[in-house]
Amino acid sequence: QVQLVASGGGLVQPGGSLRLSCAASGFTLDDYGIGWFRQAPGKEREGVSGFDSHDATTHYADSVKGRFTLSRNNAKNTVYLQMNSLKPEDTAVYYCAAVYQGAGLGLKDPLGWYEYDHWGQGTQVTVSS
């Protein structure tokens, strides 16, 4: 059974940092694309970062570029989202997602939620003083 479990959210002051984790079970991450998404109250789900396993590229939304970093630990079957210089507008529920890419299947839009078919539960991130 494919399962993703996100953790690491919390309350942080502006300018602070958090690291989110997404632990995968029931499959190995090697041939999977991974995405991080967020959704704030009253807003649409937004792609934050996406990893395309076909060409091993990582993509970021302009709003987080230079502040957030997606990384993978294949030995632990876990993906991380390091978030630095957090702003109040980063407040949202954050989700991780995965999609099997197989051989030669690249993602058309690594930040598009519709690309992914396995989703973890969300973890709340609140940036406030």
Side-chain angles (χ1 to χ4, degrees):
Q1 180 181 359
V2 173
Q3 190 174 15
L4 297 168
V5 178
S7 61
L11 173 64
V12 63
Q13 291 187 342
S17 298
L18 279 175
R19 189 179 78 159
L20 305 183
S21 299
C22 177
S25 60
F27 69 102
T28 57
L29 290 171
D30 295 27
D31 293 323
Y32 279 74
I34 298 293
W36 282 99
F37 297 82
R38 67 186 181 187
Q39 189 164 20
K43 294 188 176 182
E44 294 186 354
R45 186 170 13 181
E46 174 190 16
V48 174
S49 181
F51 175 82
D52 188 331
S53 67
H54 171 58
D55 56 8
T57 56
T58 305
H59 306 261
Y60 297 95
D62 288 342
S63 58
V64 306
K65 205 169 290 184
R67 300 189 297 123
F68 289 13
T69 303
L70 184 154
S71 63
R72 298 157 59 106
N73 184 328
N74 286 345
K76 294 185 176 182
N77 219 30
T78 299
V79 178
Y80 304 97
L81 184 68
Q82 178 67 43
M83 306 186 296
N84 299 329
S85 303
L86 283 162
K87 305 175 181 180
E89 51 264 41
D90 294 319
T91 295
V93 177
Y94 283 71
Y95 301 88
C96 59
V99 60
Y100 179 68
Q101 293 192 244
L105 298 176
L107 298 177
K108 293 182 180 179
D109 182 8
L111 299 182
W113 61 265
Y114 46 84
E115 292 271 15
Y116 300 86
D117 54 11
H118 302 294
W119 289 82
Q121 92 295 358
T123 184
Q124 176 71 47
V125 172
T126 302
V127 185
S128 175
S129 55

